[in-house]
Amino acid sequence: MEGLFILVNIAALLAIIGLLIYMQKKHVSFSKRVFTGMGLGIVLGTLLQMLYGVGSDVLVGTLDWYSIVGSGYVRLLMVIVVPLVMVSIIRAIINLEKTKELGKMAGWVIGILISTTLIAALVGIGSAFLFDLNAEQIEAGQAENDRAASIEARYAEMEGQTTPQRILNFIPSNIFLDMTGDRPTSVISVVIFSIIVGIAFLGIRRKEPEQAEMFLKIVNSFYAIVMRIVTLILRLTPFGVLALMANMVASTNFAGIMELGKFVLASYVALIAMFIIHLVIVGVFGLNPMNYLKKVIPVLGFAFTSRSSAGTIPLNIQTQKEALGVDDGTANLSASFGATMGQNGCAGIYPAMLAVMIAPTVGINPLSFEFIIQLVLITAISSFGVAGVGGGATFAAIIVLSSMGLPVGLAGLLISVEALIDMGRTALNVNGSIVSGTLTSKILGKLNLEKFNDKAAATERVA
C-alpha cells in the first residue's frame, strides 16, 4: 500500500510539471513560471505533510523520488559553476584594455561585500536586542545536543587556524582539485587561477599576437558552449523550485518553529531590514530600486528554495548581465566572490545575532560598546571564505563565536528552525552579491543603464 501512495504522489508532481511545461509552451514569462512552481510546491508539500506526517515511510519515500528533480537540478547548476566562472572571467579579462581595470573591479566588489556585511552585523545585533533574544530561553533537546557535539567537533578541526591562514586557503595549490569543489574556498581559487590565465594572455597578446589570437578563438568557442549549457539548465528552474519547495515544506518541523517562533521572527525582521537597506543603497547610487527588485526576484526565489549561494551563481551572472546591464567581468567576479565571502545573511546577521544571544550565558554584557564594536569588526573580517552551500552559516558562526571567546556548541540551539532561517539568509547573500556587482559596474561607468531601465530586459530573456 505504501508503494501505491508513493506512486500517486509522484504522479501529482509529474502533473504539476506538465502544467509548468504547458505554461512554457504558452510563452508565460520565466518569473511567473518560477513563482507558480514555488507556490504549487508549497501547496503540495503542505498536503503531503498533512496526509502522511513528518518522518512517515510514505513521506520519506516520496521525498526521495522528489529529490531527483530538486537536488538533481541543483547538481546540474553546481556542475556548470566552475567552467562558467573560469571561462567567463578569462574572457572578461581578455577584453580589458589594462590590467589595472581588474584591480579596481575586484577592489570595489570585495569592498562593497565586506561593507554591507558590516552593516548586516549591526542589523543582526539590533534585531537581537529588539526581541530580547537570549540562548537561556531555549530548552536543549536531543537534536540540539547532537548538533552541539557536531559543531564542537568541527571547531576542533578549525582550532588554531588564524585569519591569515584562512585567507591563504584562497590561493590554489592544485587547480584540478579545486575544479571538483572539494574545498569551501574552491570557487575563489578557480577565480584567482582564471585571473592569472587572463593576465598571462594580455602579456602574450603584446609579444606573440598570433598565439594570442588562437587562444582567443578557443576561449570564445568554449564560452559559447558553456553559455548554451547554462541556458538549457536554467530552463529547468521552475521544475527544480517546485520539487525543492515541496521537499522543504513537507519535511519542516512546524512544531519546532512554533516553539522558536520568536527567534524565527527576529531573524526575518533582520533579513528584511537588510534587504531594504540594499534597495536604499541601490537608490542612493541613482538606480531605480523597484526596477532592480523586479528583475532579481526570480534569482532570489531560487536562492531561497535551494539554500545554495554557489548553486545560484549561473542564474546570478545571467541576471546581472542580461537583466541589469552589468558588464561581463563585474558580473562574474561579484557572483563568484559573493558565494564565498561577505555573505550578508550567513556571515553577517546570523553570527552577530548568535553572539548577542550567547554572551549573557557566560556573564558578558552584550550591550557594552566594546563588545559590539569587537563583534562587528570580527564578523566583517571573518566573512572571508564562508562556504556557499548549506552549512556556511555554521562555519561563520564558529569563527565569530570562537574569536569572541564564546562557547561554539551553543550555535546548535536553533537546529529545529535552521533550514527555514537559512532560506532567507541565502536569498540575502545572493542579493548582496548582485548589489555589489551592480554598484561596481555603475561606479566604473560600465553599467548599461538602457538595459537596466528596460523593463523588457528581464530574467525571462535568460531562460
Side-chain angles (χ1 to χ4, degrees):
M1 185 64 84
E2 289 179 359
L4 178 61
F5 286 139
I6 292 174
L7 286 174
V8 171
N9 298 335
I10 294 172
L13 179 69
L14 293 176
I16 298 175
I17 290 175
L19 172 63
L20 293 172
I21 293 174
Y22 176 77
M23 292 174 67
Q24 183 177 350
K25 289 181 177 179
K26 290 296 182 179
H27 305 292
V28 176
S29 70
F30 178 73
S31 57
K32 289 181 180 178
R33 283 184 280 125
V34 168
F35 281 98
T36 299
M38 184 182 297
L40 293 176
I42 292 172
V43 173
L44 180 58
T46 302
L47 289 174
L48 289 174
Q49 184 171 135
M50 291 173 60
L51 290 171
Y52 306 110
V54 177
S56 67
D57 291 340
V58 174
L59 187 62
V60 171
T62 297
L63 298 186
D64 201 27
W65 282 100
Y66 281 18
S67 65
I68 294 177
V69 179
S71 299
Y73 172 65
V74 175
R75 287 192 176 200
L76 287 174
L77 284 171
M78 294 296 292
V79 81
I80 199 64
V81 166
V82 168
L84 172 63
V85 168
M86 179 172 283
V87 74
S88 296
I89 288 180
I90 292 173
R91 186 173 179 271
I93 295 173
I94 284 174
N95 292 325
L96 292 177
E97 294 296 328
K98 300 177 182 177
T99 54
K100 67 179 182 181
E101 292 181 36
L102 177 63
K104 289 181 181 179
M105 188 187 300
W108 276 110
V109 167
I110 295 173
I112 293 170
L113 284 171
I114 302 304
S115 297
T116 51
T117 301
L118 190 149
I119 296 171
L122 288 171
V123 171
I125 292 170
S127 183
F129 286 145
L130 177 65
F131 286 87
D132 190 27
L133 299 185
N134 192 312
E136 294 175 340
Q137 299 169 353
I138 305 175
E139 184 177 346
Q142 185 60 44
E144 286 74 19
N145 291 329
D146 290 345
R147 178 65 166 169
S150 172
I151 290 174
E152 287 171 352
R154 187 171 182 180
Y155 171 64
E157 296 177 5
M158 295 168 50
E159 194 171 14
Q161 192 176 51
T162 64
T163 298
Q165 289 172 334
R166 286 195 291 270
I167 294 175
L168 185 62
N169 287 333
F170 293 162
I171 301 174
S173 59
N174 184 341
I175 191 59
F176 297 103
L177 177 66
D178 285 320
M179 285 181 181
T180 67
D182 185 69
R183 303 185 303 139
T185 57
S186 285
V187 173
I188 295 298
S189 296
V190 170
V191 169
I192 292 173
F193 179 78
S194 302
I195 290 173
I196 293 171
V197 172
I199 293 173
F201 171 86
L202 296 179
I204 293 295
R205 187 170 62 185
R206 292 193 300 269
K207 297 179 180 180
E208 301 179 57
E210 291 183 5
Q211 300 295 334
E213 185 64 26
M214 182 181 298
F215 182 76
L216 178 61
K217 290 180 180 179
I218 294 173
V219 169
N220 284 333
S221 297
F222 270 109
Y223 180 79
I225 292 172
V226 168
M227 294 311 297
R228 183 58 184 168
I229 295 172
V230 169
T231 299
L232 292 174
I233 294 174
L234 291 184
R235 285 177 178 170
L236 302 174
T237 300
F239 316 128
V241 167
L242 163 67
L244 287 167
M245 186 57 78
N247 270 35
M248 189 280 296
V249 174
S251 58
T252 296
N253 179 4
F254 289 102
I257 293 174
M258 293 302 293
E259 291 177 6
L260 295 173
K262 179 180 178 181
F263 299 91
V264 175
L265 179 60
S267 297
Y268 271 91
V269 165
L271 293 169
I272 293 170
M274 191 60 207
F275 187 76
I276 292 172
I277 290 173
H278 282 169
L279 296 180
V280 170
I281 294 173
V282 168
V284 167
F285 277 79
L287 301 172
N288 187 328
M290 291 300 103
N291 198 29
Y292 166 89
L293 179 61
K294 178 182 176 182
K295 295 185 176 188
V296 301
I297 276 183
V299 190
L300 303 184
F302 172 71
F304 185 83
T305 53
S306 68
R307 297 171 54 201
S308 173
S309 299
T312 312
I313 286 177
L315 189 55
N316 184 337
I317 292 173
Q318 283 292 81
T319 299
Q320 286 195 55
K321 288 166 38 180
E322 301 298 331
L324 296 173
V326 177
D327 62 284
D328 197 25
T330 303
N332 281 280
L333 280 180
S334 61
S336 304
F337 283 142
T340 48
M341 68 169 63
Q343 296 190 341
N344 291 184
C346 288
I349 288 175
Y350 185 65
M353 289 184 70
L354 277 181
V356 172
M357 289 170 55
I358 294 171
T361 66
V362 291
I364 297 176
N365 179 16
L367 288 170
S368 69
F369 181 75
E370 181 182 352
F371 176 86
I372 293 174
I373 292 298
Q374 183 183 7
L375 176 58
V376 169
L377 293 177
I378 287 176
T379 301
I381 294 170
S382 300
S383 65
F384 284 88
V386 177
V389 295
T394 301
F395 180 77
I398 292 174
I399 297 173
V400 172
L401 294 178
S402 61
S403 300
M404 295 291 293
L406 300 172
V408 297
L410 292 179
L413 289 175
L414 300 177
I415 180 63
S416 60
V417 293
E418 178 74 14
L420 179 61
I421 297 175
D422 194 43
M423 296 169 77
R425 289 193 308 238
T426 305
L428 184 65
N429 294 342
V430 172
N431 195 59
S433 72
I434 298 175
V435 167
S436 72
T438 304
L439 298 187
T440 297
S441 191
K442 178 72 161 55
I443 291 168
L444 298 179
K446 296 185 175 183
L447 184 68
N448 186 333
L449 291 174
E450 184 178 347
K451 184 175 287 187
F452 181 93
N453 293 317
D454 181 7
K455 294 182 179 180
T459 313
E460 45 262 30
R461 289 173 56 177
V462 173

